[in-house]
Amino acid sequence: MKKLLLSLAICLGLVSFASAQSTAIAPYDGATHTYTFDGITNGLDYEFYVSTNSNGISQAGLITNYGILVNDANTDGVATYTELGGVVTGNQVSVDITWDLTAAAKYGATGSVQTGVYLFVRVFDTSDATVCENYKSVMITPTTNAFNVTLADAGTSPSCPDLNNGFIPLESSYNLGKTTLTFEINRSGSTNDWTFDFDITQVGTGAFTYSVEGGSAVAGITGATTNVPVNNYTASNATIVIVVDNVTNESPVFTLEVKNAADDVTSVIPVAMPVAVGHTISTMPAIGSFTGS
């Protein structure tokens, strides 16, 4: 019995995790989704609008504070909250909605106005009086944005220079070696591909390279800020590895800051970017040349 309850709990946990994603009928605040109605006779006219009324024919209950309709059929480049579309082709019509950043507060599960709104499509024919109009709607319940990005130093700061990566103490071939730092960028609230970029800012004079999740090492800009764009990333975790030449008599600092992040499918962005994270490498004392007598 206990095993059965544990299995059920795990299943419920998986369902809960799977539902933590912006979808067309449960969109995150700020997300953009596409809404399509199929099986419509070609050559007819159509329009889209959003209403608080489940029976909102003739635009009854029309609202304008849910967000905007984008990519409108009239291709006038103007984002609107109602769309008098063109002519039906391909037996379907579509519209994109970018949901307002406060849509969930107004129309979410505990909305201050009501729970859910209704996207309507009206199909009609302005050129033929014998063709009557028809409507169909879908209920949509906006959801508080759970798309989140975190940033962490995988090590402990400050740390001493690494003496296990190329360091050679022998005077005749003395080499200070290199120190490796690791940072982690994680996202939650979505399983879609996503795009982000971050800055690496170095205070110090040691040349360094960086790599993202095991990719090729790239030279960074010494003593300045290096911007790193990452496009169409699939995994939820990105490990950033920095390898810097050890330098004596200075205490280098590397700071990572996530500048932008967005879901590639819904265009939703995090409610807030994570706080920048810095790592300090403590001072390596200098040792001069050797002479013997």
Side-chain angles (χ1 to χ4, degrees):
M1 183 64 180
K2 289 183 178 179
K3 290 183 177 180
L4 176 59
L5 291 174
L6 178 60
S7 298
L8 287 172
I10 293 173
C11 290
L12 288 172
L14 291 173
V15 170
S16 176
F17 175 79
S19 65
Q21 167 97 347
S22 183
T23 64
I25 60 172
Y28 283 171
D29 288 339
T32 300
H33 287 279
T34 301
Y35 300 84
T36 302
F37 290 86
D38 293 305
I40 303 174
T41 303
N42 287 332
L44 299 180
D45 303 296
Y46 68 93
E47 72 172 347
F48 286 103
Y49 59 90
V50 177
S51 170
T52 56
N53 191 333
S54 61
N55 189 32
I57 62 174
S58 302
Q59 295 192 0
L62 176 72
I63 57 173
T64 62
N65 61 354
Y66 63 89
I68 56 174
L69 303 181
V70 294
N71 298 333
D72 58 85
N74 295 330
T75 63
D76 56 14
V78 179
T80 60
Y81 59 84
T82 62
E83 178 53 62
L84 184 59
V87 177
V88 177
T89 60
N91 300 115
Q92 66 176 209
V93 295
S94 296
V95 69
D96 290 354
I97 297 180
T98 298
W99 292 92
D100 189 82
L101 294 175
T102 62
K106 293 176 287 194
Y107 303 110
T110 57
S112 61
V113 179
Q114 67 175 43
T115 300
V117 293
Y118 303 89
L119 171 65
F120 276 83
V121 62
R122 178 173 76 102
V123 179
F124 56 101
D125 193 337
T126 56
S127 62
D128 187 348
T130 66
V131 176
C132 299
E133 63 182 5
N134 192 11
Y135 294 81
K136 182 163 278 191
S137 69
V138 60
M139 183 181 178
I140 300 167
T141 307
T143 304
T144 301
N145 185 3
F147 185 74
N148 187 43
V149 175
T150 60
L151 171 63
D153 183 352
T156 300
S157 177
S159 62
C160 287
D162 190 350
L163 302 183
N164 296 303
N165 184 8
F167 178 74
I168 301 175
L170 184 64
E171 196 273 341
S172 60
S173 54
Y174 191 65
N175 192 313
L176 294 175
K178 301 175 183 291
T179 293
T180 298
L181 305 179
T182 303
F183 296 84
E184 293 183 350
I185 299 174
N186 292 280
R187 68 89 190 263
S188 57
S190 172
T191 57
N192 298 323
D193 287 1
W194 59 303
T195 295
F196 60 98
D197 68 86
F198 60 92
D199 284 350
I200 302 173
T201 301
Q202 180 198 26
V203 176
T205 62
F208 73 94
T209 63
Y210 67 86
S211 60
V212 180
E213 200 60 39
S216 300
V218 179
I221 303 173
T222 303
T225 297
T226 304
N227 180 254
V228 184
V230 181
N231 298 315
N232 311 120
Y233 193 71
T234 301
S236 292
N237 170 269
T239 300
I240 316 302
V241 175
I242 296 172
V243 181
V244 58
D245 292 347
N246 290 331
V247 178
T248 60
N249 289 337
E250 65 177 49
S251 185
V253 179
F254 283 87
T255 302
L256 256 70
E257 181 179 7
V258 179
K259 305 297 290 186
N260 299 287
D263 187 300
D264 285 350
V265 176
T266 67
S267 299
V268 71
I269 63 175
V271 174
M273 294 298 172
V275 175
V277 173
H279 188 110
T280 299
I281 302 173
S282 297
T283 303
M284 185 181 216
I287 302 177
S289 60
F290 166 81
T291 58
S293 62

